[in-house]
Coordinates of all heavy atoms in Angstrom, one line a residue:
M1 N -25.2 -33.5 -48.0 CA -25.0 -34.1 -49.2 C -23.8 -33.4 -50.0 O -22.9 -34.1 -50.4 CB -26.2 -34.1 -50.1 CG -26.1 -34.9 -51.4 SD -25.8 -36.7 -51.0 CE -25.6 -37.2 -52.7
N2 N -23.9 -32.1 -50.1 CA -22.8 -31.4 -50.8 C -21.6 -31.3 -49.9 O -21.8 -30.8 -48.8 CB -23.3 -30.0 -51.3 CG -24.3 -30.1 -52.4 OD1 -24.2 -31.1 -53.1 ND2 -25.1 -29.2 -52.5
E3 N -20.4 -31.6 -50.4 CA -19.2 -31.4 -49.7 C -18.4 -30.3 -50.4 O -18.5 -30.2 -51.6 CB -18.4 -32.7 -49.5 CG -19.2 -33.7 -48.7 CD -18.4 -34.9 -48.5 OE1 -17.2 -34.8 -48.4 OE2 -19.0 -36.0 -48.3
R4 N -17.5 -29.7 -49.7 CA -16.6 -28.7 -50.3 C -15.6 -29.3 -51.1 O -15.2 -30.4 -50.8 CB -15.9 -27.9 -49.2 CG -16.8 -27.1 -48.4 CD -16.0 -26.4 -47.3 NE -16.9 -25.7 -46.4 CZ -16.5 -24.8 -45.6 NH1 -15.2 -24.5 -45.5 NH2 -17.4 -24.2 -44.8
I5 N -15.2 -28.7 -52.2 CA -14.0 -29.1 -52.9 C -12.8 -28.5 -52.1 O -12.7 -27.3 -51.9 CB -14.0 -28.5 -54.3 CG1 -15.1 -29.2 -55.1 CG2 -12.6 -28.8 -55.0 CD1 -15.2 -28.7 -56.5
N6 N -12.0 -29.3 -51.6 CA -10.8 -28.8 -50.8 C -9.6 -29.2 -51.5 O -9.2 -30.4 -51.6 CB -10.9 -29.5 -49.4 CG -9.8 -29.1 -48.5 OD1 -8.8 -28.4 -48.9 ND2 -9.9 -29.2 -47.2
L7 N -8.9 -28.2 -52.1 CA -7.7 -28.5 -52.9 C -6.5 -28.9 -52.0 O -5.4 -29.2 -52.6 CB -7.4 -27.3 -53.8 CG -8.5 -26.9 -54.7 CD1 -8.1 -25.8 -55.6 CD2 -9.0 -28.1 -55.6
L8 N -6.7 -28.9 -50.7 CA -5.6 -29.3 -49.9 C -5.7 -30.8 -49.5 O -4.8 -31.3 -48.9 CB -5.6 -28.5 -48.6 CG -5.4 -27.0 -48.8 CD1 -5.5 -26.2 -47.4 CD2 -4.1 -26.7 -49.4
L9 N -6.8 -31.5 -49.9 CA -6.9 -32.8 -49.5 C -5.9 -33.7 -50.3 O -5.7 -33.5 -51.5 CB -8.3 -33.3 -49.9 CG -9.5 -32.9 -49.0 CD1 -10.8 -33.4 -49.6 CD2 -9.3 -33.5 -47.7
P10 N -5.3 -34.6 -49.6 CA -4.4 -35.5 -50.3 C -5.2 -36.6 -51.1 O -6.3 -36.9 -50.8 CB -3.6 -36.2 -49.2 CG -4.5 -36.2 -48.0 CD -5.4 -34.9 -48.2
D11 N -4.6 -37.1 -52.1 CA -5.2 -38.2 -52.8 C -5.4 -39.4 -51.9 O -4.4 -39.9 -51.4 CB -4.4 -38.6 -54.0 CG -5.0 -39.6 -54.9 OD1 -5.7 -40.6 -54.3 OD2 -5.0 -39.5 -56.1
P12 N -6.6 -39.9 -51.6 CA -6.7 -40.9 -50.6 C -6.2 -42.3 -51.1 O -5.8 -43.1 -50.3 CB -8.3 -41.0 -50.4 CG -8.9 -40.5 -51.6 CD -7.9 -39.4 -52.1
G13 N -6.2 -42.5 -52.4 CA -5.7 -43.7 -52.9 C -4.2 -43.8 -53.0 O -3.6 -44.9 -52.8
R14 N -3.6 -42.7 -53.3 CA -2.1 -42.7 -53.5 C -1.4 -42.0 -52.3 O -0.2 -42.1 -52.2 CB -1.8 -42.0 -54.8 CG -2.4 -42.7 -56.0 CD -2.1 -41.9 -57.2 NE -2.7 -42.7 -58.4 CZ -4.0 -42.7 -58.7 NH1 -4.8 -42.0 -58.0 NH2 -4.5 -43.3 -59.7
R15 N -2.1 -41.3 -51.5 CA -1.5 -40.6 -50.4 C -0.4 -39.7 -50.8 O 0.6 -39.6 -50.3 CB -1.1 -41.6 -49.3 CG -2.2 -42.4 -48.7 CD -1.9 -43.0 -47.4 NE -2.9 -43.9 -47.0 CZ -4.1 -43.5 -46.5 NH1 -4.3 -42.2 -46.4 NH2 -5.0 -44.3 -46.1
T16 N -0.7 -39.0 -51.9 CA 0.2 -38.0 -52.4 C -0.5 -37.0 -53.3 O -1.6 -37.2 -53.7 CB 1.3 -38.7 -53.3 OG1 2.1 -37.8 -53.9 CG2 0.6 -39.5 -54.4
Q17 N 0.1 -35.9 -53.4 CA -0.5 -34.8 -54.3 C 0.2 -34.8 -55.7 O 0.1 -33.9 -56.4 CB -0.4 -33.5 -53.7 CG -1.3 -33.2 -52.6 CD -2.8 -33.0 -53.2 OE1 -3.5 -34.0 -53.4 NE2 -3.2 -31.8 -53.3
K18 N 1.0 -35.9 -56.0 CA 1.6 -36.0 -57.3 C 0.6 -36.0 -58.4 O -0.5 -36.5 -58.3 CB 2.5 -37.2 -57.4 CG 3.8 -37.1 -56.5 CD 4.7 -38.4 -56.7 CE 5.9 -38.2 -55.9 NZ 6.7 -39.4 -55.9
R19 N 1.1 -35.4 -59.5 CA 0.2 -35.4 -60.7 C 0.2 -36.8 -61.4 O 1.2 -37.5 -61.4 CB 0.7 -34.3 -61.7 CG 0.5 -32.9 -61.2 CD 1.3 -31.9 -62.0 NE 1.4 -30.6 -61.4 CZ 2.3 -30.3 -60.5 NH1 3.1 -31.2 -60.0 NH2 2.2 -29.1 -59.9
I20 N -1.0 -37.0 -62.0 CA -1.1 -38.2 -62.9 C -1.5 -37.8 -64.2 O -2.0 -36.7 -64.4 CB -2.1 -39.3 -62.3 CG1 -3.5 -38.7 -62.2 CG2 -1.6 -39.7 -60.9 CD1 -4.6 -39.7 -62.0
E21 N -1.5 -38.7 -65.2 CA -2.0 -38.4 -66.5 C -3.5 -38.7 -66.5 O -3.9 -39.8 -66.2 CB -1.3 -39.3 -67.5 CG -1.6 -38.9 -69.0 CD -0.8 -37.7 -69.5 OE1 0.0 -37.2 -68.7 OE2 -1.1 -37.2 -70.6
G22 N -4.3 -37.6 -66.8 CA -5.7 -37.9 -66.8 C -6.5 -36.7 -67.3 O -5.9 -35.8 -68.1
R23 N -7.7 -36.6 -67.1 CA -8.6 -35.6 -67.6 C -8.9 -34.5 -66.5 O -9.1 -34.8 -65.3 CB -10.0 -36.1 -68.0 CG -9.9 -37.1 -69.2 CD -11.3 -37.7 -69.5 NE -11.2 -38.4 -70.7 CZ -10.9 -39.7 -70.8 NH1 -10.5 -40.4 -69.7 NH2 -10.9 -40.3 -72.0
C24 N -8.8 -33.2 -67.0 CA -9.2 -32.1 -66.1 C -10.7 -32.0 -66.0 O -11.3 -31.8 -67.0 CB -8.5 -30.8 -66.6 SG -9.0 -29.3 -65.7
W25 N -11.2 -31.9 -64.8 CA -12.7 -31.9 -64.6 C -13.2 -30.4 -64.5 O -14.4 -30.2 -64.4 CB -13.0 -32.6 -63.3 CG -13.0 -34.0 -63.4 CD1 -12.0 -34.8 -63.8 CD2 -14.2 -34.9 -63.2 NE1 -12.4 -36.2 -63.8 CE2 -13.7 -36.2 -63.4 CE3 -15.5 -34.7 -62.8 CZ2 -14.5 -37.3 -63.3 CZ3 -16.3 -35.8 -62.6 CH2 -15.9 -37.1 -62.9
L26 N -12.3 -29.5 -64.6 CA -12.8 -28.1 -64.4 C -12.9 -27.4 -65.7 O -14.0 -27.6 -66.3 CB -11.8 -27.4 -63.4 CG -11.7 -27.9 -62.0 CD1 -10.8 -27.1 -61.1 CD2 -13.1 -28.0 -61.4
G27 N -11.9 -26.7 -66.2 CA -12.2 -25.8 -67.3 C -11.6 -26.4 -68.7 O -11.8 -25.7 -69.7
C28 N -11.1 -27.5 -68.7 CA -10.4 -28.1 -69.9 C -11.3 -29.0 -70.7 O -12.3 -29.5 -70.2 CB -9.1 -28.7 -69.6 SG -7.8 -27.6 -68.9
D29 N -10.9 -29.2 -72.0 CA -11.5 -30.2 -72.8 C -11.4 -31.6 -72.1 O -10.3 -32.0 -71.8 CB -10.8 -30.3 -74.2 CG -11.3 -31.3 -75.1 OD1 -12.2 -32.1 -74.7 OD2 -10.9 -31.2 -76.3
P30 N -12.6 -32.2 -71.9 CA -12.6 -33.5 -71.1 C -11.9 -34.6 -71.9 O -11.6 -35.7 -71.3 CB -14.0 -33.7 -70.9 CG -14.8 -33.0 -71.9 CD -13.9 -31.8 -72.1
E31 N -11.7 -34.4 -73.2 CA -11.0 -35.5 -74.0 C -9.5 -35.4 -73.9 O -8.7 -36.3 -74.3 CB -11.4 -35.4 -75.5 CG -12.9 -35.6 -75.7 CD -13.4 -37.0 -75.0 OE1 -12.7 -38.0 -75.3 OE2 -14.4 -37.1 -74.4
E32 N -9.0 -34.2 -73.4 CA -7.5 -33.9 -73.4 C -6.9 -34.7 -72.2 O -7.3 -34.4 -71.1 CB -7.3 -32.5 -73.3 CG -5.8 -32.1 -73.3 CD -5.5 -30.6 -73.1 OE1 -6.5 -29.8 -73.2 OE2 -4.4 -30.3 -72.8
M33 N -5.9 -35.5 -72.5 CA -5.2 -36.2 -71.4 C -4.0 -35.2 -71.0 O -3.2 -34.8 -71.9 CB -4.7 -37.5 -71.8 CG -5.8 -38.4 -72.1 SD -7.0 -38.8 -70.7 CE -6.0 -39.9 -69.8
Q34 N -3.8 -34.9 -69.8 CA -2.7 -34.1 -69.3 C -2.4 -34.4 -67.8 O -3.0 -35.2 -67.2 CB -3.1 -32.6 -69.5 CG -4.4 -32.2 -68.7 CD -4.8 -30.8 -68.9 OE1 -4.0 -29.9 -68.9 NE2 -6.1 -30.6 -69.1
A35 N -1.4 -33.6 -67.3 CA -1.0 -33.8 -65.9 C -2.0 -33.2 -65.0 O -2.4 -32.0 -65.2 CB 0.3 -33.2 -65.7
V36 N -2.6 -34.0 -64.1 CA -3.7 -33.5 -63.3 C -3.5 -33.9 -61.9 O -2.8 -34.9 -61.6 CB -5.1 -34.0 -63.8 CG1 -5.5 -33.3 -65.0 CG2 -5.1 -35.5 -63.9
T37 N -4.1 -33.2 -60.9 CA -4.0 -33.5 -59.5 C -5.4 -33.8 -58.9 O -6.4 -33.1 -59.4 CB -3.5 -32.3 -58.7 OG1 -2.2 -31.9 -59.3 CG2 -3.3 -32.6 -57.3
W38 N -5.5 -34.8 -58.1 CA -6.8 -35.1 -57.5 C -7.3 -34.0 -56.6 O -6.6 -33.3 -55.9 CB -6.6 -36.3 -56.6 CG -7.8 -36.8 -55.9 CD1 -8.8 -37.6 -56.4 CD2 -8.3 -36.5 -54.5 NE1 -9.8 -37.9 -55.5 CE2 -9.5 -37.2 -54.4 CE3 -7.8 -35.8 -53.5 CZ2 -10.2 -37.2 -53.2 CZ3 -8.5 -35.8 -52.3 CH2 -9.7 -36.5 -52.2
I39 N -8.6 -33.6 -56.8 CA -9.1 -32.5 -56.1 C -10.2 -32.8 -55.2 O -10.7 -32.1 -54.4 CB -9.6 -31.3 -57.0 CG1 -10.7 -31.8 -58.0 CG2 -8.5 -30.7 -57.8 CD1 -11.4 -30.7 -58.8
G40 N -10.7 -34.1 -55.3 CA -11.7 -34.6 -54.3 C -12.8 -35.4 -55.0 O -12.9 -35.5 -56.2
P41 N -13.7 -36.0 -54.2 CA -14.8 -36.7 -54.7 C -15.9 -35.8 -55.2 O -16.1 -34.8 -54.6 CB -15.3 -37.5 -53.5 CG -14.9 -36.7 -52.3 CD -13.6 -36.0 -52.7
V42 N -16.6 -36.2 -56.3 CA -17.6 -35.4 -56.8 C -18.9 -36.3 -56.9 O -18.8 -37.5 -57.4 CB -17.3 -34.9 -58.2 CG1 -18.5 -34.4 -58.9 CG2 -16.2 -33.9 -58.2
T43 N -20.0 -35.9 -56.4 CA -21.2 -36.6 -56.5 C -22.3 -35.6 -57.1 O -22.5 -34.5 -56.6 CB -21.7 -37.1 -55.2 OG1 -20.8 -38.0 -54.6 CG2 -23.1 -37.8 -55.3
V44 N -22.9 -36.0 -58.2 CA -23.9 -35.2 -58.9 C -25.2 -36.0 -59.0 O -25.2 -37.2 -59.3 CB -23.4 -34.8 -60.3 CG1 -24.4 -33.9 -60.9 CG2 -22.1 -34.1 -60.2
R45 N -26.3 -35.4 -58.6 CA -27.6 -36.0 -58.7 C -28.2 -35.7 -60.0 O -28.3 -34.5 -60.3 CB -28.5 -35.5 -57.5 CG -29.9 -36.1 -57.5 CD -30.5 -36.1 -56.1 NE -29.7 -37.1 -55.3 CZ -29.8 -37.1 -53.9 NH1 -30.5 -36.2 -53.3 NH2 -29.1 -38.0 -53.2
G46 N -28.7 -36.7 -60.7 CA -29.3 -36.5 -62.0 C -30.5 -37.4 -62.2 O -30.9 -38.1 -61.2
V47 N -31.1 -37.3 -63.4 CA -32.3 -38.1 -63.6 C -32.2 -39.6 -63.5 O -33.0 -40.3 -63.2 CB -33.0 -37.7 -65.0 CG1 -33.5 -36.3 -65.0 CG2 -31.9 -37.9 -66.1
A48 N -30.9 -40.0 -63.8 CA -30.6 -41.4 -63.8 C -30.0 -41.9 -62.4 O -29.6 -43.0 -62.3 CB -29.7 -41.8 -64.9
G49 N -30.1 -41.0 -61.4 CA -29.5 -41.3 -60.1 C -28.3 -40.5 -59.9 O -27.9 -39.7 -60.6
D50 N -27.6 -40.9 -58.8 CA -26.4 -40.2 -58.4 C -25.2 -40.7 -59.2 O -25.2 -42.0 -59.4 CB -26.1 -40.3 -56.9 CG -27.1 -39.6 -56.0 OD1 -28.0 -38.9 -56.6 OD2 -27.0 -39.7 -54.8
A51 N -24.3 -39.9 -59.6 CA -23.1 -40.3 -60.2 C -21.9 -39.8 -59.4 O -21.9 -38.6 -59.1 CB -23.0 -39.7 -61.6
S52 N -21.0 -40.6 -59.0 CA -19.9 -40.2 -58.1 C -18.6 -40.7 -58.8 O -18.5 -41.7 -59.5 CB -20.0 -40.9 -56.8 OG -21.1 -40.5 -56.1
A53 N -17.6 -39.8 -58.6 CA -16.2 -40.2 -59.1 C -15.2 -39.3 -58.4 O -15.5 -38.3 -57.8 CB -16.2 -39.8 -60.6
A54 N -14.0 -39.7 -58.6 CA -12.8 -38.9 -58.1 C -12.5 -37.9 -59.2 O -12.4 -38.2 -60.4 CB -11.6 -39.8 -57.9
A55 N -12.5 -36.6 -58.8 CA -12.3 -35.5 -59.8 C -10.8 -35.0 -59.7 O -10.1 -35.0 -58.7 CB -13.2 -34.4 -59.5
Y56 N -10.3 -34.7 -60.9 CA -8.9 -34.2 -61.0 C -8.9 -32.9 -61.8 O -9.9 -32.6 -62.5 CB -8.1 -35.2 -61.8 CG -7.8 -36.5 -61.1 CD1 -8.8 -37.5 -61.1 CD2 -6.7 -36.7 -60.4 CE1 -8.6 -38.7 -60.4 CE2 -6.4 -37.9 -59.8 CZ -7.4 -38.9 -59.7 OH -7.2 -40.0 -59.1
A57 N -7.9 -32.1 -61.6 CA -7.8 -30.8 -62.4 C -6.3 -30.5 -62.7 O -5.4 -30.9 -62.0 CB -8.4 -29.7 -61.5
C58 N -6.1 -29.7 -63.7 CA -4.8 -29.3 -64.1 C -4.3 -28.2 -63.3 O -5.1 -27.5 -62.6 CB -4.7 -29.0 -65.6 SG -5.6 -27.5 -66.0
D59 N -3.0 -27.9 -63.4 CA -2.5 -26.8 -62.6 C -3.1 -25.4 -62.9 O -3.4 -24.6 -62.0 CB -1.0 -26.6 -62.8 CG -0.2 -27.8 -62.1 OD1 -0.9 -28.6 -61.3 OD2 1.0 -27.9 -62.3
D60 N -3.3 -25.1 -64.2 CA -3.9 -23.9 -64.7 C -5.3 -23.7 -64.1 O -5.6 -22.6 -63.6 CB -4.0 -23.8 -66.2 CG -2.6 -23.5 -66.8 OD1 -1.7 -23.3 -66.1 OD2 -2.5 -23.7 -68.0
C61 N -6.2 -24.7 -64.1 CA -7.5 -24.6 -63.5 C -7.5 -24.5 -62.0 O -8.3 -23.7 -61.4 CB -8.4 -25.7 -64.0 SG -8.8 -25.7 -65.7
I62 N -6.6 -25.2 -61.4 CA -6.5 -25.1 -59.9 C -6.1 -23.7 -59.6 O -6.6 -23.1 -58.6 CB -5.6 -26.2 -59.3 CG1 -6.2 -27.6 -59.4 CG2 -5.2 -25.8 -57.9 CD1 -5.3 -28.7 -59.1
N63 N -5.1 -23.1 -60.3 CA -4.6 -21.8 -60.0 C -5.7 -20.8 -60.2 O -5.8 -19.8 -59.5 CB -3.4 -21.5 -60.9 CG -2.2 -22.2 -60.4 OD1 -2.1 -22.6 -59.2 ND2 -1.2 -22.4 -61.3
R64 N -6.5 -21.0 -61.3 CA -7.6 -20.1 -61.6 C -8.6 -20.1 -60.5 O -9.1 -19.0 -60.0 CB -8.3 -20.4 -62.9 CG -9.3 -19.5 -63.4 CD -9.8 -19.8 -64.8 NE -11.3 -19.8 -64.8 CZ -12.0 -20.9 -64.6 NH1 -11.5 -22.0 -64.4 NH2 -13.3 -20.7 -64.7
I65 N -9.0 -21.2 -60.0 CA -10.0 -21.3 -58.9 C -9.4 -20.7 -57.6 O -10.0 -20.0 -56.8 CB -10.4 -22.8 -58.6 CG1 -11.4 -23.2 -59.6 CG2 -10.9 -22.9 -57.2 CD1 -12.1 -24.5 -59.3
Y66 N -8.0 -20.9 -57.4 CA -7.4 -20.3 -56.3 C -7.5 -18.8 -56.3 O -7.8 -18.1 -55.3 CB -5.9 -20.8 -56.2 CG -5.2 -20.1 -55.1 CD1 -5.4 -20.5 -53.8 CD2 -4.2 -19.1 -55.4 CE1 -4.6 -19.9 -52.7 CE2 -3.5 -18.5 -54.3 CZ -3.7 -18.9 -53.1 OH -3.0 -18.3 -52.1
G67 N -7.2 -18.2 -57.6 CA -7.3 -16.8 -57.7 C -8.6 -16.3 -57.5 O -8.8 -15.1 -56.9
M68 N -9.7 -17.0 -58.0 CA -11.0 -16.5 -57.8 C -11.5 -16.6 -56.3 O -12.1 -15.7 -55.8 CB -12.0 -17.4 -58.6 CG -11.8 -17.1 -60.1 SD -12.8 -18.3 -61.1 CE -14.4 -17.6 -60.8
A69 N -11.0 -17.6 -55.6 CA -11.3 -17.7 -54.2 C -10.6 -16.6 -53.4 O -11.2 -16.1 -52.5 CB -10.9 -19.1 -53.7
R70 N -9.4 -16.4 -53.7 CA -8.7 -15.3 -53.0 C -9.4 -13.9 -53.3 O -9.5 -13.1 -52.3 CB -7.2 -15.2 -53.5 CG -6.3 -16.4 -53.0 CD -6.1 -16.4 -51.6 NE -5.2 -15.2 -51.2 CZ -4.9 -14.9 -50.0 NH1 -5.3 -15.6 -49.0 NH2 -4.3 -13.8 -49.7
A71 N -9.7 -13.7 -54.5 CA -10.4 -12.4 -54.8 C -11.8 -12.3 -54.1 O -12.1 -11.2 -53.5 CB -10.6 -12.3 -56.3
D72 N -12.5 -13.4 -54.0 CA -13.8 -13.3 -53.3 C -13.5 -13.2 -51.8 O -14.3 -12.4 -51.2 CB -14.5 -14.7 -53.6 CG -15.9 -14.6 -53.1 OD1 -16.8 -14.1 -53.8 OD2 -16.2 -15.1 -52.0
Q73 N -12.6 -13.8 -51.3 CA -12.3 -13.6 -49.9 C -11.9 -12.3 -49.6 O -12.2 -11.7 -48.5 CB -11.1 -14.7 -49.5 CG -10.8 -14.7 -48.1 CD -9.7 -15.8 -47.8 OE1 -8.9 -16.1 -48.6 NE2 -9.8 -16.4 -46.6
Y74 N -11.0 -11.7 -50.5 CA -10.6 -10.3 -50.3 C -11.8 -9.3 -50.3 O -11.9 -8.5 -49.4 CB -9.6 -9.9 -51.4 CG -9.2 -8.5 -51.4 CD1 -8.3 -8.0 -50.5 CD2 -9.8 -7.6 -52.3 CE1 -7.9 -6.7 -50.5 CE2 -9.3 -6.3 -52.4 CZ -8.4 -5.8 -51.4 OH -8.1 -4.5 -51.4
E75 N -12.7 -9.5 -51.2 CA -13.9 -8.7 -51.2 C -14.8 -8.8 -50.0 O -15.3 -7.9 -49.5 CB -14.8 -9.0 -52.5 CG -14.0 -8.4 -53.7 CD -15.0 -8.6 -55.0 OE1 -16.1 -9.1 -54.8 OE2 -14.5 -8.2 -56.1
R76 N -14.9 -10.0 -49.5 CA -15.7 -10.3 -48.3 C -15.1 -9.6 -47.1 O -15.8 -9.2 -46.2 CB -15.8 -11.8 -48.0 CG -16.9 -12.5 -48.8 CD -17.1 -13.9 -48.4 NE -16.0 -14.7 -49.2 CZ -15.3 -15.6 -48.7 NH1 -15.3 -15.9 -47.4 NH2 -14.4 -16.2 -49.4
D77 N -13.8 -9.4 -47.1 CA -13.1 -8.8 -46.0 C -13.0 -7.3 -46.1 O -12.6 -6.6 -45.1 CB -11.7 -9.4 -45.9 CG -11.6 -10.8 -45.5 OD1 -12.7 -11.3 -45.0 OD2 -10.6 -11.5 -45.7
L78 N -13.4 -6.7 -47.2 CA -13.4 -5.3 -47.3 C -14.6 -4.6 -46.6 O -15.6 -5.2 -46.4 CB -13.7 -4.9 -48.9 CG -12.5 -5.0 -49.8 CD1 -12.9 -4.6 -51.2 CD2 -11.3 -4.1 -49.3
P79 N -14.3 -3.4 -46.1 CA -15.4 -2.7 -45.4 C -16.5 -2.4 -46.4 O -16.3 -2.2 -47.6 CB -14.7 -1.4 -45.0 CG -13.3 -1.6 -45.0 CD -13.0 -2.7 -46.1
A80 N -17.8 -2.4 -45.8 CA -19.0 -2.3 -46.6 C -19.0 -1.0 -47.6 O -19.4 -1.1 -48.7 CB -20.2 -2.3 -45.8
H81 N -18.4 0.1 -47.0 CA -18.5 1.3 -47.8 C -17.6 1.2 -49.1 O -17.9 1.9 -50.1 CB -18.1 2.5 -46.9 CG -16.6 2.6 -46.6 ND1 -16.1 1.9 -45.5 CD2 -15.6 3.2 -47.2 CE1 -14.8 2.1 -45.5 NE2 -14.5 2.9 -46.5
L82 N -16.6 0.3 -49.1 CA -15.8 0.2 -50.2 C -16.4 -0.8 -51.2 O -16.3 -0.6 -52.5 CB -14.4 -0.3 -49.9 CG -13.5 0.7 -49.1 CD1 -12.2 0.0 -48.8 CD2 -13.3 1.9 -50.0
L83 N -17.1 -1.8 -50.7 CA -17.8 -2.7 -51.6 C -19.0 -2.1 -52.4 O -19.2 -2.5 -53.5 CB -18.4 -3.9 -50.8 CG -17.4 -5.1 -50.5 CD1 -18.1 -6.1 -49.7 CD2 -16.9 -5.7 -51.8
A84 N -19.6 -1.1 -51.8 CA -20.8 -0.6 -52.4 C -20.5 0.1 -53.7 O -21.3 0.3 -54.6 CB -21.5 0.4 -51.4
A85 N -19.2 0.5 -53.9 CA -18.8 1.3 -55.1 C -18.6 0.4 -56.3 O -18.6 0.9 -57.4 CB -17.5 2.0 -54.8
R86 N -18.6 -0.9 -56.2 CA -18.4 -1.8 -57.4 C -19.1 -3.1 -57.2 O -19.4 -3.6 -56.1 CB -16.9 -2.0 -57.5 CG -16.2 -2.7 -56.3 CD -14.8 -2.7 -56.4 NE -14.2 -3.3 -55.3 CZ -12.9 -3.6 -55.1 NH1 -12.1 -3.2 -56.1 NH2 -12.5 -4.1 -54.0
P87 N -19.5 -3.7 -58.4 CA -20.3 -5.0 -58.3 C -19.4 -6.1 -57.9 O -18.2 -6.1 -58.1 CB -20.7 -5.2 -59.8 CG -19.7 -4.3 -60.6 CD -19.3 -3.2 -59.7
R88 N -20.0 -7.0 -57.1 CA -19.3 -8.2 -56.6 C -18.6 -9.0 -57.8 O -19.3 -9.2 -58.8 CB -20.3 -9.1 -55.8 CG -19.6 -10.2 -55.1 CD -20.6 -10.7 -54.0 NE -20.0 -11.9 -53.3 CZ -19.1 -11.8 -52.4 NH1 -18.7 -10.6 -51.9 NH2 -18.7 -12.9 -51.7
G89 N -17.4 -9.5 -57.6 CA -16.8 -10.3 -58.6 C -16.0 -9.5 -59.6 O -15.4 -10.0 -60.5
H90 N -15.9 -8.2 -59.4 CA -15.1 -7.3 -60.3 C -14.2 -6.5 -59.4 O -14.5 -5.4 -59.0 CB -16.1 -6.4 -61.1 CG -17.0 -7.2 -62.0 ND1 -16.6 -7.7 -63.2 CD2 -18.2 -7.7 -61.8 CE1 -17.6 -8.3 -63.8 NE2 -18.6 -8.4 -62.9
P91 N -12.9 -7.0 -59.2 CA -12.0 -6.3 -58.4 C -11.5 -5.0 -59.1 O -11.7 -4.8 -60.2 CB -10.8 -7.2 -58.3 CG -11.0 -8.3 -59.3 CD -12.4 -8.3 -59.7
Ligands
ZN1 ZN1 -7.8 -27.6 -66.6

């Protein structure tokens, strides 16, 4: 049921990664219209049933997730004796 958010996926409707004017689904005010890029389909299960939509995000939020993913990947690749010295998520 759950699929990964893959920021490399092309927009299936437009076949392009060009930005459109829309709402950022990640860290921004959902009322703010700005330049956003398609990041993938989102399906959320709730009390009224499943809700699905195409999700978009702004460059700042995509870059933030990219930075977090890189940091997490870096920590996973560290030898165990170095990881033990600090809590996960704090480089
Ligand atoms: Zn954003």
Side-chain angles (χ1 to χ4, degrees):
M1 186 62 181
N2 289 335
E3 295 184 30
R4 295 176 183 195
I5 294 176
N6 184 342
L7 301 182
L8 300 177
L9 285 172
D11 185 320
R14 296 176 181 77
R15 302 200 183 286
T16 176
Q17 283 288 84
K18 286 184 180 172
R19 292 168 191 80
I20 64 166
E21 189 75 5
R23 294 177 170 85
C24 173
W25 282 60
L26 297 180
C28 294
D29 179 350
E31 298 304 317
E32 180 186 349
M33 300 297 283
Q34 58 181 317
V36 290
T37 303
W38 182 81
I39 59 170
V42 169
T43 301
V44 180
R45 180 157 290 164
V47 291
D50 290 356
S52 296
Y56 291 81
C58 71
D59 288 352
D60 286 348
C61 288
I62 290 173
N63 289 337
R64 188 172 130 266
I65 280 191
Y66 176 73
M68 291 174 72
R70 288 291 295 176
D72 191 81
Q73 186 175 28
Y74 175 77
E75 287 187 1
R76 276 183 278 132
D77 292 343
L78 280 179
H81 72 277
L82 290 177
L83 271 180
R86 56 188 180 177
R88 187 164 177 80
H90 298 275

